[in-house]
Coordinates of all heavy atoms in Angstrom, one line a residue:
G226 N 0.8 -1.2 0.0 CA 0.0 0.0 0.0 C 0.8 1.2 0.0 O 2.0 1.3 0.3
V227 N 0.2 2.3 -0.3 CA 0.9 3.6 -0.2 C 0.8 4.2 1.2 O -0.1 4.2 1.9 CB 0.1 4.6 -1.2 CG1 0.7 6.0 -1.1 CG2 0.1 4.1 -2.6
R228 N 2.0 4.7 1.6 CA 2.2 5.3 2.9 C 1.6 6.7 2.8 O 2.1 7.5 2.0 CB 3.6 5.3 3.4 CG 4.0 3.9 3.6 CD 5.5 3.8 3.9 NE 5.9 2.5 4.1 CZ 7.1 2.0 4.0 NH1 8.1 2.8 3.7 NH2 7.4 0.7 4.2
V229 N 0.6 7.1 3.6 CA 0.0 8.4 3.6 C 0.2 9.2 4.8 O 0.1 10.5 4.7 CB -1.5 8.3 3.2 CG1 -1.7 7.6 1.9 CG2 -2.3 7.5 4.4
G230 N 0.5 8.6 5.9 CA 0.6 9.4 7.2 C 1.8 9.1 7.9 O 2.4 7.9 7.8
C231 N 2.3 10.0 8.8 CA 3.5 9.8 9.6 C 3.4 10.6 10.8 O 2.9 11.7 10.8 CB 4.7 10.2 8.8 SG 6.3 9.8 9.6
G232 N 3.9 10.1 11.9 CA 4.0 10.8 13.2 C 5.2 10.2 14.0 O 5.6 9.1 13.8
T233 N 5.8 11.1 14.8 CA 6.9 10.7 15.6 C 6.4 10.5 17.1 O 5.8 11.4 17.7 CB 8.0 11.8 15.6 OG1 8.3 12.0 14.2 CG2 9.2 11.4 16.3
L234 N 6.7 9.3 17.6 CA 6.3 9.0 19.0 C 7.2 9.8 20.0 O 8.4 9.8 19.8 CB 6.4 7.5 19.3 CG 5.4 6.6 18.6 CD1 5.8 5.1 18.7 CD2 4.0 6.8 19.1
K235 N 6.5 10.4 20.9 CA 7.2 11.1 22.0 C 6.7 10.6 23.3 O 5.5 10.2 23.5 CB 6.8 12.6 21.9 CG 7.1 13.3 20.6 CD 8.6 13.5 20.4 CE 8.8 14.2 19.1 NZ 10.2 14.3 18.7
S236 N 7.5 10.6 24.4 CA 7.2 10.2 25.7 C 6.1 11.2 26.3 O 6.3 12.4 26.1 CB 8.4 10.1 26.6 OG 9.2 9.1 26.2
G237 N 5.1 10.6 26.8 CA 4.1 11.4 27.5 C 4.1 11.3 29.0 O 5.1 10.6 29.6
N238 N 3.2 11.8 29.7 CA 3.1 11.6 31.2 C 2.7 10.2 31.5 O 1.8 9.6 30.8 CB 2.1 12.6 31.7 CG 2.5 14.0 31.5 OD1 3.7 14.3 31.6 ND2 1.6 14.9 31.4
M239 N 3.2 9.7 32.6 CA 2.8 8.3 33.0 C 1.4 8.4 33.5 O 0.9 9.4 34.1 CB 3.7 7.9 34.1 CG 3.5 6.5 34.6 SD 4.8 5.9 35.7 CE 6.1 5.5 34.6
K240 N 0.6 7.3 33.3 CA -0.7 7.2 33.7 C -0.9 6.1 34.8 O -0.2 5.2 34.7 CB -1.7 6.9 32.5 CG -1.9 8.0 31.6 CD -2.9 7.6 30.6 CE -3.3 8.7 29.7 NZ -4.3 8.4 28.7
T241 N -1.9 6.3 35.6 CA -2.2 5.3 36.6 C -3.6 4.9 36.3 O -4.5 5.6 36.2 CB -2.1 5.8 38.1 OG1 -0.8 6.3 38.3 CG2 -2.5 4.8 39.1
K242 N -3.8 3.5 36.1 CA -5.1 3.0 35.8 C -5.4 1.9 36.9 O -4.6 1.2 37.3 CB -5.1 2.3 34.4 CG -4.9 3.3 33.3 CD -5.0 2.5 31.9 CE -4.7 3.3 30.8 NZ -4.7 2.6 29.6
S243 N -6.7 1.8 37.2 CA -7.2 0.8 38.1 C -7.4 -0.5 37.3 O -8.0 -0.4 36.2 CB -8.5 1.2 38.8 OG -8.2 2.3 39.6
K244 N -7.1 -1.6 37.8 CA -7.3 -2.9 37.1 C -8.0 -3.9 38.0 O -7.6 -4.0 39.2 CB -5.9 -3.4 36.7 CG -5.9 -4.7 35.9 CD -6.3 -4.4 34.5 CE -6.3 -5.7 33.6 NZ -6.9 -5.5 32.4
G245 N -9.0 -4.5 37.5 CA -9.7 -5.6 38.2 C -10.7 -5.2 39.2 O -10.9 -5.9 40.2
A246 N -11.2 -4.0 39.1 CA -12.2 -3.5 40.1 C -13.5 -4.3 40.0 O -14.1 -4.4 38.9 CB -12.5 -2.1 39.9
K247 N -14.0 -4.9 41.1 CA -15.2 -5.6 41.1 C -15.9 -5.2 42.4 O -15.3 -4.7 43.3 CB -14.9 -7.1 41.2 CG -14.3 -7.7 39.9 CD -14.2 -9.2 40.0 CE -13.5 -9.7 38.7 NZ -13.3 -11.1 38.7
K248 N -17.2 -5.4 42.4 CA -18.0 -4.9 43.5 C -17.5 -5.6 44.8 O -17.4 -6.8 44.8 CB -19.4 -5.3 43.3 CG -20.4 -4.7 44.2 CD -21.9 -4.9 43.9 CE -22.8 -4.2 44.8 NZ -24.1 -4.3 44.4
G249 N -17.2 -4.7 45.8 CA -16.7 -5.2 47.1 C -15.2 -5.6 47.1 O -14.8 -6.0 48.2
I250 N -14.5 -5.6 46.0 CA -13.1 -5.9 45.9 C -12.3 -4.7 45.5 O -12.6 -4.0 44.5 CB -12.8 -7.1 44.9 CG1 -13.6 -8.3 45.3 CG2 -11.3 -7.3 44.8 CD1 -13.5 -9.4 44.3
K251 N -11.3 -4.4 46.3 CA -10.5 -3.2 46.0 C -9.6 -3.5 44.8 O -9.0 -4.5 44.6 CB -9.5 -2.9 47.2 CG -8.8 -1.6 47.1 CD -8.0 -1.3 48.4 CE -7.2 0.0 48.2 NZ -6.5 0.3 49.4
S252 N -9.6 -2.5 43.9 CA -8.8 -2.6 42.7 C -7.4 -2.3 42.8 O -7.0 -1.6 43.7 CB -9.4 -1.7 41.6 OG -9.2 -0.4 41.9
K253 N -6.6 -2.9 42.0 CA -5.1 -2.7 42.0 C -4.8 -1.5 41.0 O -5.4 -1.5 39.9 CB -4.4 -3.9 41.6 CG -4.4 -5.0 42.5 CD -3.5 -6.2 42.1 CE -3.5 -7.3 43.1 NZ -2.7 -8.4 42.8
K254 N -3.9 -0.6 41.4 CA -3.6 0.4 40.4 C -2.2 0.1 39.9 O -1.3 -0.3 40.6 CB -3.6 1.8 41.2 CG -5.0 2.2 41.6 CD -4.9 3.7 42.1 CE -6.3 4.1 42.3 NZ -6.4 5.5 42.7
R255 N -2.1 0.3 38.6 CA -0.8 0.1 37.9 C -0.4 1.4 37.2 O -1.2 2.1 36.6 CB -0.9 -1.0 37.0 CG -1.2 -2.3 37.6 CD -1.0 -3.6 36.8 NE -1.0 -3.5 35.4 CZ -1.5 -4.4 34.6 NH1 -2.2 -5.4 35.1 NH2 -1.4 -4.3 33.3
N256 N 0.9 1.6 37.2 CA 1.4 2.7 36.4 C 1.8 2.3 34.9 O 2.3 1.2 34.8 CB 2.7 3.3 37.0 CG 2.4 4.0 38.4 OD1 1.4 4.6 38.5 ND2 3.3 3.8 39.3
Y257 N 1.4 3.1 34.0 CA 1.6 2.8 32.6 C 2.5 3.9 32.0 O 2.3 5.1 32.2 CB 0.3 2.8 31.8 CG -0.5 1.5 32.1 CD1 -1.3 1.5 33.3 CD2 -0.5 0.4 31.4 CE1 -2.1 0.4 33.6 CE2 -1.2 -0.7 31.6 CZ -2.0 -0.7 32.8 OH -2.8 -1.8 33.1
N258 N 3.4 3.5 31.1 CA 4.2 4.5 30.3 C 3.3 4.9 29.2 O 2.5 4.1 28.7 CB 5.5 3.8 29.8 CG 6.4 3.4 30.9 OD1 6.9 4.2 31.6 ND2 6.7 2.1 31.0
V259 N 3.6 6.1 28.7 CA 2.7 6.6 27.6 C 3.6 7.2 26.5 O 4.6 7.9 26.7 CB 1.8 7.8 28.1 CG1 1.0 8.4 27.0 CG2 1.0 7.4 29.2
L260 N 3.2 6.9 25.2 CA 3.8 7.5 24.1 C 2.7 8.1 23.2 O 1.6 7.5 23.1 CB 4.5 6.4 23.2 CG 5.7 5.6 23.8 CD1 6.1 4.5 22.9 CD2 6.8 6.6 24.1
N261 N 3.0 9.3 22.6 CA 2.0 10.0 21.8 C 2.6 10.4 20.5 O 3.8 10.6 20.4 CB 1.5 11.2 22.5 CG 0.8 11.0 23.8 OD1 -0.3 10.4 23.8 ND2 1.4 11.4 24.9
A262 N 1.8 10.4 19.5 CA 2.2 10.9 18.1 C 1.1 11.7 17.5 O -0.1 11.4 17.7 CB 2.6 9.8 17.2
V263 N 1.4 12.8 16.8 CA 0.4 13.5 16.0 C 0.7 13.2 14.6 O 1.8 13.2 14.1 CB 0.6 15.0 16.2 CG1 -0.3 15.8 15.3 CG2 0.3 15.5 17.7
I264 N -0.3 12.7 13.8 CA -0.1 12.2 12.5 C -0.3 13.3 11.5 O -1.3 14.0 11.6 CB -1.1 11.0 12.2 CG1 -0.9 9.9 13.2 CG2 -0.9 10.5 10.8 CD1 0.5 9.3 13.3
G265 N 0.6 13.4 10.6 CA 0.5 14.3 9.4 C 0.8 13.5 8.1 O 0.9 12.3 8.1
T266 N 1.0 14.2 7.1 CA 1.3 13.6 5.8 C 2.7 13.0 5.7 O 3.6 13.6 6.2 CB 1.1 14.7 4.7 OG1 -0.1 15.3 4.8 CG2 1.3 14.1 3.3
Y267 N 2.7 11.8 5.1 CA 4.0 11.1 4.9 C 4.9 11.9 4.0 O 4.4 12.6 3.1 CB 3.7 9.7 4.3 CG 4.8 8.7 4.4 CD1 5.1 8.0 5.6 CD2 5.7 8.6 3.4 CE1 6.1 7.1 5.7 CE2 6.8 7.7 3.5 CZ 7.0 7.0 4.7 OH 8.0 6.1 4.8
P268 N 6.2 11.9 4.3 CA 7.1 12.9 3.6 C 7.0 12.9 2.0 O 7.1 14.0 1.5 CB 8.5 12.3 4.0 CG 8.3 11.6 5.3 CD 6.9 11.1 5.2
D269 N 6.9 11.7 1.4 CA 6.8 11.8 -0.1 C 5.4 11.6 -0.7 O 5.3 11.4 -1.9 CB 7.9 10.9 -0.7 CG 7.5 9.4 -0.5 OD1 6.6 9.1 0.4 OD2 8.2 8.5 -1.1
Y270 N 4.4 11.6 0.2 CA 3.0 11.3 -0.3 C 2.5 12.5 -1.2 O 2.6 13.7 -0.7 CB 2.1 11.1 0.8 CG 0.7 10.9 0.4 CD1 0.3 9.7 -0.3 CD2 -0.3 11.8 0.6 CE1 -1.0 9.5 -0.7 CE2 -1.6 11.6 0.2 CZ -2.0 10.5 -0.4 OH -3.3 10.3 -0.8
D271 N 2.0 12.2 -2.3 CA 1.5 13.3 -3.2 C 0.1 13.0 -3.7 O -0.3 13.5 -4.8 CB 2.4 13.6 -4.4 CG 2.6 12.4 -5.3 OD1 2.0 11.3 -5.1 OD2 3.3 12.5 -6.3
G272 N -0.7 12.2 -3.0 CA -2.0 11.9 -3.3 C -3.1 12.9 -2.9 O -2.7 14.0 -2.4
D273 N -4.3 12.5 -3.0 CA -5.4 13.4 -2.7 C -5.8 13.4 -1.2 O -6.6 14.3 -0.8 CB -6.6 13.1 -3.5 CG -6.4 13.3 -5.0 OD1 -5.5 14.2 -5.3 OD2 -6.9 12.6 -5.8
L274 N -5.5 12.4 -0.4 CA -5.9 12.3 0.9 C -5.1 13.3 1.8 O -4.0 13.5 1.7 CB -5.6 10.9 1.5 CG -6.3 9.7 0.8 CD1 -5.9 8.4 1.4 CD2 -7.9 9.9 0.9
I275 N -5.9 13.9 2.7 CA -5.3 14.8 3.7 C -5.5 14.1 5.1 O -6.5 14.2 5.7 CB -6.0 16.2 3.7 CG1 -5.8 16.8 2.3 CG2 -5.3 17.1 4.8 CD1 -6.6 18.1 2.1
V276 N -4.4 13.4 5.5 CA -4.5 12.5 6.7 C -4.0 13.3 7.9 O -3.0 14.0 7.9 CB -3.6 11.3 6.5 CG1 -3.6 10.4 7.7 CG2 -4.1 10.5 5.3
S277 N -4.7 13.1 9.0 CA -4.4 13.7 10.3 C -4.8 12.7 11.4 O -5.6 11.8 11.2 CB -4.9 15.1 10.5 OG -6.3 15.0 10.6
G278 N -4.4 13.0 12.6 CA -4.8 12.1 13.7 C -3.9 12.1 14.9 O -2.9 12.8 14.9
D279 N -4.3 11.3 15.9 CA -3.5 11.2 17.1 C -3.3 9.7 17.4 O -4.2 8.9 17.2 CB -4.1 11.8 18.2 CG -4.3 13.3 18.0 OD1 -3.3 14.0 18.0 OD2 -5.4 13.8 17.9
I280 N -2.2 9.4 18.0 CA -1.9 8.0 18.5 C -1.5 8.1 19.9 O -0.7 9.0 20.3 CB -0.8 7.3 17.7 CG1 -1.3 6.9 16.3 CG2 -0.3 6.1 18.4 CD1 -0.3 6.3 15.4
E281 N -2.0 7.2 20.7 CA -1.6 7.1 22.2 C -1.3 5.6 22.4 O -2.2 4.8 22.2 CB -2.7 7.7 23.1 CG -2.2 7.5 24.6 CD -3.2 8.0 25.6 OE1 -4.0 7.2 26.0 OE2 -3.0 9.1 26.0
I282 N -0.2 5.3 22.9 CA 0.2 4.0 23.3 C 0.5 4.0 24.8 O 1.3 4.8 25.3 CB 1.5 3.5 22.5 CG1 1.2 3.5 21.0 CG2 1.8 2.1 23.0 CD1 2.4 3.3 20.2
T283 N -0.2 3.2 25.6 CA 0.1 3.0 27.0 C 0.5 1.6 27.2 O 0.0 0.7 26.5 CB -1.1 3.4 27.9 OG1 -2.2 2.5 27.5 CG2 -1.5 4.8 27.8
F284 N 1.5 1.4 28.0 CA 2.1 0.0 28.2 C 2.8 -0.1 29.6 O 3.3 0.9 30.2 CB 3.0 -0.3 27.1 CG 4.3 0.5 27.0 CD1 5.5 0.2 27.6 CD2 4.2 1.8 26.4 CE1 6.6 0.9 27.6 CE2 5.4 2.6 26.3 CZ 6.5 2.2 26.9
D285 N 2.9 -1.3 30.1 CA 3.8 -1.6 31.2 C 4.3 -3.0 30.9 O 4.2 -3.5 29.7 CB 3.0 -1.6 32.5 CG 1.9 -2.7 32.7 OD1 1.7 -3.5 31.8 OD2 1.2 -2.6 33.7
E286 N 4.8 -3.7 31.8 CA 5.4 -5.0 31.5 C 4.4 -6.1 31.3 O 4.7 -7.2 30.8 CB 6.4 -5.4 32.6 CG 5.7 -5.7 34.0 CD 5.7 -4.5 34.9 OE1 5.7 -3.4 34.4 OE2 5.6 -4.7 36.1
Y287 N 3.1 -5.8 31.5 CA 2.1 -6.8 31.3 C 1.2 -6.6 30.2 O 0.5 -7.5 29.6 CB 1.2 -6.9 32.6 CG 2.0 -7.2 33.8 CD1 2.2 -6.2 34.8 CD2 2.5 -8.4 34.1 CE1 2.9 -6.5 36.0 CE2 3.3 -8.7 35.2 CZ 3.5 -7.7 36.1 OH 4.2 -7.9 37.3
A288 N 1.0 -5.3 29.7 CA 0.0 -5.0 28.7 C 0.3 -3.8 27.9 O 1.1 -3.0 28.3 CB -1.4 -4.8 29.4
I289 N -0.3 -3.7 26.7 CA -0.2 -2.6 25.8 C -1.5 -2.2 25.3 O -2.4 -3.1 25.1 CB 0.8 -2.9 24.7 CG1 1.1 -1.6 23.8 CG2 0.3 -4.0 23.8 CD1 2.2 -1.8 22.8
D290 N -1.7 -0.9 25.2 CA -3.0 -0.4 24.7 C -2.6 0.6 23.6 O -1.9 1.5 23.8 CB -3.8 0.3 25.7 CG -5.2 0.8 25.2 OD1 -5.9 0.0 24.6 OD2 -5.5 1.9 25.5
F291 N -3.1 0.4 22.3 CA -2.9 1.2 21.2 C -4.1 1.9 20.7 O -5.1 1.2 20.4 CB -2.3 0.4 20.0 CG -1.9 1.1 18.8 CD1 -0.5 1.4 18.7 CD2 -2.7 1.5 17.8 CE1 -0.1 2.1 17.5 CE2 -2.3 2.1 16.8 CZ -1.0 2.5 16.6
R292 N -4.2 3.2 20.7 CA -5.3 4.0 20.3 C -5.0 4.9 19.1 O -4.0 5.6 19.3 CB -5.9 4.8 21.5 CG -6.4 3.9 22.6 CD -6.9 4.7 23.8 NE -7.2 3.9 24.9 CZ -8.4 3.4 25.2 NH1 -9.4 3.7 24.5 NH2 -8.5 2.6 26.3
F293 N -5.8 4.8 18.1 CA -5.6 5.7 16.9 C -6.8 6.4 16.6 O -7.9 5.7 16.4 CB -5.1 4.8 15.7 CG -4.9 5.6 14.5 CD1 -4.2 6.7 14.3 CD2 -5.7 5.1 13.3 CE1 -4.1 7.3 13.1 CE2 -5.5 5.8 12.1 CZ -4.8 6.9 12.0
D294 N -6.8 7.7 16.5 CA -7.9 8.5 16.0 C -7.5 9.2 14.8 O -6.8 10.2 14.8 CB -8.3 9.5 17.1 CG -9.4 10.4 16.7 OD1 -10.3 10.0 15.8 OD2 -9.6 11.5 17.2
G295 N -7.9 8.6 13.6 CA -7.4 9.1 12.3 C -8.6 9.8 11.5 O -9.7 9.5 11.6
K296 N -8.2 10.8 10.8 CA -9.1 11.5 9.9 C -8.5 11.6 8.5 O -7.3 11.6 8.3 CB -9.3 12.9 10.5 CG -9.9 12.9 11.8 CD -9.8 14.3 12.4 CE -10.4 14.4 13.8 NZ -9.5 13.6 14.8
G297 N -9.4 11.6 7.5 CA -9.0 11.8 6.1 C -8.6 10.5 5.4 O -8.0 10.5 4.3
L298 N -8.9 9.4 6.1 CA -8.5 8.1 5.5 C -9.6 7.6 4.6 O -10.8 8.0 4.7 CB -8.2 7.1 6.5 CG -7.1 7.5 7.5 CD1 -7.1 6.6 8.7 CD2 -5.7 7.4 6.8
E299 N -9.3 6.7 3.7 CA -10.3 6.1 2.8 C -11.2 5.2 3.6 O -10.8 4.4 4.4 CB -9.7 5.2 1.7 CG -8.9 6.1 0.7 CD -8.2 5.3 -0.4 OE1 -7.7 4.2 0.0 OE2 -8.2 5.7 -1.5
A300 N -12.5 5.3 3.4 CA -13.4 4.3 4.0 C -13.3 3.0 3.4 O -13.1 2.8 2.2 CB -14.9 4.9 3.9
G301 N -13.4 1.9 4.3 CA -13.4 0.6 3.8 C -12.1 0.1 3.2 O -12.0 -0.8 2.4
C302 N -11.0 0.7 3.7 CA -9.7 0.3 3.2 C -9.5 -1.2 3.6 O -9.7 -1.6 4.8 CB -8.6 1.2 3.9 SG -7.0 0.9 3.2
G303 N -9.0 -2.0 2.7 CA -8.9 -3.5 2.9 C -7.5 -3.9 3.2 O -6.7 -3.1 3.8
P304 N -7.1 -5.1 2.8 CA -5.8 -5.7 3.1 C -4.7 -4.7 2.6 O -4.8 -4.0 1.5 CB -5.7 -6.9 2.3 CG -7.2 -7.3 2.2 CD -8.0 -6.1 2.1
G305 N -3.7 -4.6 3.3 CA -2.6 -3.7 3.0 C -2.7 -2.3 3.7 O -1.8 -1.6 3.7
C306 N -3.8 -2.1 4.4 CA -4.0 -0.9 5.1 C -3.7 -1.2 6.6 O -4.0 -2.2 7.1 CB -5.4 -0.3 5.0 SG -5.8 0.2 3.3
G307 N -3.2 -0.2 7.2 CA -2.9 -0.4 8.7 C -2.0 0.7 9.2 O -1.5 1.5 8.5
V308 N -1.8 0.6 10.5 CA -0.9 1.5 11.3 C 0.2 0.6 11.7 O 0.0 -0.5 12.3 CB -1.6 2.1 12.4 CG1 -0.7 2.9 13.3 CG2 -2.8 3.0 12.0
H309 N 1.5 1.1 11.6 CA 2.6 0.3 12.2 C 3.7 1.3 12.5 O 3.7 2.5 12.1 CB 3.1 -0.7 11.2 CG 3.4 -0.2 9.8 ND1 2.4 -0.3 8.8 CD2 4.5 0.3 9.3 CE1 3.0 0.2 7.8 NE2 4.2 0.6 8.0
I310 N 4.7 0.9 13.3 CA 5.7 1.7 13.8 C 7.0 1.4 13.1 O 7.4 0.3 12.8 CB 5.9 1.4 15.3 CG1 4.6 1.7 16.1 CG2 7.1 2.2 15.9 CD1 4.6 1.3 17.6
H311 N 7.7 2.5 12.7 CA 9.0 2.4 12.0 C 10.1 2.8 13.0 O 9.9 3.4 14.0 CB 9.0 3.3 10.8 CG 8.3 2.8 9.6 ND1 8.8 2.4 8.5 CD2 6.9 2.7 9.5 CE1 7.9 2.0 7.6 NE2 6.7 2.1 8.2
T312 N 11.3 2.5 12.6 CA 12.5 2.7 13.5 C 13.0 4.1 13.5 O 13.7 4.5 14.3 CB 13.7 1.8 13.1 OG1 14.0 2.1 11.7 CG2 13.3 0.4 13.2
G313 N 12.6 4.9 12.5 CA 13.1 6.3 12.4 C 12.5 7.2 13.4 O 11.6 6.9 14.2
T314 N 13.2 8.4 13.5 CA 12.7 9.4 14.5 C 12.3 10.7 13.9 O 12.3 11.7 14.6 CB 13.9 9.6 15.5 OG1 15.1 10.0 14.8 CG2 14.2 8.4 16.3
T315 N 12.0 10.7 12.6 CA 11.6 11.9 12.0 C 10.6 11.6 10.9 O 10.6 10.5 10.3 CB 12.8 12.7 11.4 OG1 12.3 14.0 10.8 CG2 13.5 12.0 10.4
C316 N 9.8 12.6 10.6 CA 8.9 12.5 9.4 C 9.2 13.6 8.3 O 8.5 13.7 7.4 CB 7.4 12.7 9.8 SG 6.8 11.3 10.7
S317 N 10.4 14.2 8.5 CA 10.7 15.3 7.6 C 11.4 14.8 6.4 O 11.5 15.5 5.4 CB 11.6 16.3 8.4 OG 12.8 15.7 8.8
D318 N 12.0 13.6 6.4 CA 12.8 13.1 5.3 C 12.4 11.6 5.1 O 12.6 10.8 6.0 CB 14.2 13.2 5.6 CG 15.2 12.8 4.5 OD1 14.7 12.0 3.6 OD2 16.3 13.2 4.4
V319 N 11.9 11.3 3.9 CA 11.5 9.9 3.6 C 12.6 8.9 3.8 O 12.3 7.7 4.2 CB 10.9 9.8 2.2 CG1 11.9 9.9 1.1 CG2 10.1 8.5 2.0
D320 N 13.8 9.2 3.6 CA 14.9 8.3 3.8 C 15.3 8.1 5.3 O 16.0 7.2 5.6 CB 16.2 8.9 3.1 CG 16.0 8.9 1.6 OD1 15.3 8.0 1.0 OD2 16.5 9.8 0.9
L321 N 14.7 8.9 6.2 CA 15.0 8.7 7.6 C 13.8 8.1 8.4 O 13.9 8.0 9.6 CB 15.4 10.1 8.2 CG 16.6 10.7 7.5 CD1 16.9 12.1 8.2 CD2 17.9 9.8 7.7
V322 N 12.7 7.8 7.7 CA 11.6 7.2 8.4 C 12.0 5.8 8.9 O 11.5 5.3 10.0 CB 10.4 7.1 7.5 CG1 9.2 6.3 8.2 CG2 9.9 8.5 7.2
G323 N 12.8 5.0 8.2 CA 13.3 3.8 8.7 C 12.4 2.6 8.4 O 11.3 2.8 7.9
G324 N 12.9 1.4 8.6 CA 12.1 0.2 8.4 C 11.2 -0.1 9.6 O 11.1 0.6 10.5
H325 N 10.4 -1.2 9.5 CA 9.5 -1.6 10.5 C 10.2 -1.8 11.8 O 11.3 -2.5 11.8 CB 8.7 -2.8 10.1 CG 7.7 -2.5 9.0 ND1 7.1 -3.5 8.3 CD2 7.3 -1.3 8.4 CE1 6.3 -3.0 7.3 NE2 6.5 -1.7 7.4
Y326 N 9.7 -1.3 12.9 CA 10.3 -1.5 14.2 C 10.1 -2.9 14.7 O 10.9 -3.5 15.4 CB 9.6 -0.5 15.2 CG 10.2 -0.6 16.6 CD1 11.4 0.1 16.8 CD2 9.6 -1.2 17.7 CE1 12.0 0.0 18.0 CE2 10.2 -1.2 18.9 CZ 11.4 -0.6 19.1 OH 12.0 -0.6 20.3
W327 N 9.0 -3.6 14.3 CA 8.7 -5.0 14.7 C 8.3 -5.7 13.5 O 7.5 -5.3 12.7 CB 7.6 -5.0 15.8 CG 7.2 -6.4 16.1 CD1 7.8 -7.1 17.1 CD2 6.2 -7.2 15.6 NE1 7.3 -8.4 17.2 CE2 6.3 -8.4 16.2 CE3 5.3 -7.0 14.6 CZ2 5.4 -9.5 15.9 CZ3 4.4 -8.0 14.3 CH2 4.5 -9.3 15.0
A328 N 8.9 -6.9 13.4 CA 8.4 -7.8 12.3 C 8.3 -9.2 12.9 O 9.1 -9.6 13.8 CB 9.4 -7.8 11.2
P329 N 7.3 -10.0 12.5 CA 7.2 -11.3 13.1 C 8.4 -12.2 12.7 O 9.0 -12.1 11.7 CB 5.9 -11.9 12.5 CG 5.7 -11.1 11.2 CD 6.3 -9.7 11.5
A330 N 8.7 -13.1 13.7 CA 9.8 -14.0 13.4 C 9.4 -15.0 12.3 O 8.3 -15.4 12.2 CB 10.2 -14.8 14.7
G331 N 10.3 -15.3 11.4 CA 9.9 -16.1 10.3 C 11.0 -16.9 9.9 O 11.5 -17.8 9.5

């Protein structure tokens, strides 16, 4: 697929969330690390879509939560569409975006 959006993950404020709260049982609170990105246009994209949005990733040693609020994307995008993380630290130069940060073992 064509890459249309890019954002750089930055450390955010740590969050505390309650886990396992049930009636009559005290919940455990866990601290989560936070990463945020603001999505803009991919460096060499020259198509008609105007993509924007926000990403928030919260995680600790037990769990990860990935939230994406995107705008300007094609409705009903099928296989080949998705959000993934690259190794680069900039969206200003297509040559510095880098390869995929994670790839399945194969």
Side-chain angles (χ1 to χ4, degrees):
V227 175
R228 295 176 179 155
V229 298
C231 186
T233 304
L234 289 170
K235 304 284 184 192
S236 292
N238 295 326
M239 186 171 281
K240 287 187 173 183
T241 301
K242 295 182 183 179
S243 295
K244 184 74 176 166
K247 293 182 181 177
K248 191 173 184 176
I250 298 174
K251 188 174 180 179
S252 66
K253 291 184 179 182
K254 290 190 176 186
R255 296 193 343 218
N256 291 324
Y257 289 83
N258 297 297
V259 180
L260 298 173
N261 296 294
V263 176
I264 303 300
T266 304
Y267 197 81
D269 68 349
Y270 177 70
D271 63 357
D273 295 331
L274 299 176
I275 300 171
V276 176
S277 64
D279 298 294
I280 288 178
E281 180 181 85
I282 301 170
T283 56
F284 64 96
D285 69 2
E286 66 268 26
Y287 304 107
I289 185 170
D290 183 46
F291 184 98
R292 296 177 189 263
F293 173 58
D294 178 23
K296 296 169 186 65
L298 301 167
E299 292 178 321
C302 188
C306 295
V308 175
H309 53 270
I310 299 171
H311 284 248
T312 60
T314 57
T315 183
C316 291
S317 63
D318 183 336
V319 70
D320 294 327
L321 300 177
V322 172
H325 291 169
Y326 186 76
W327 178 85

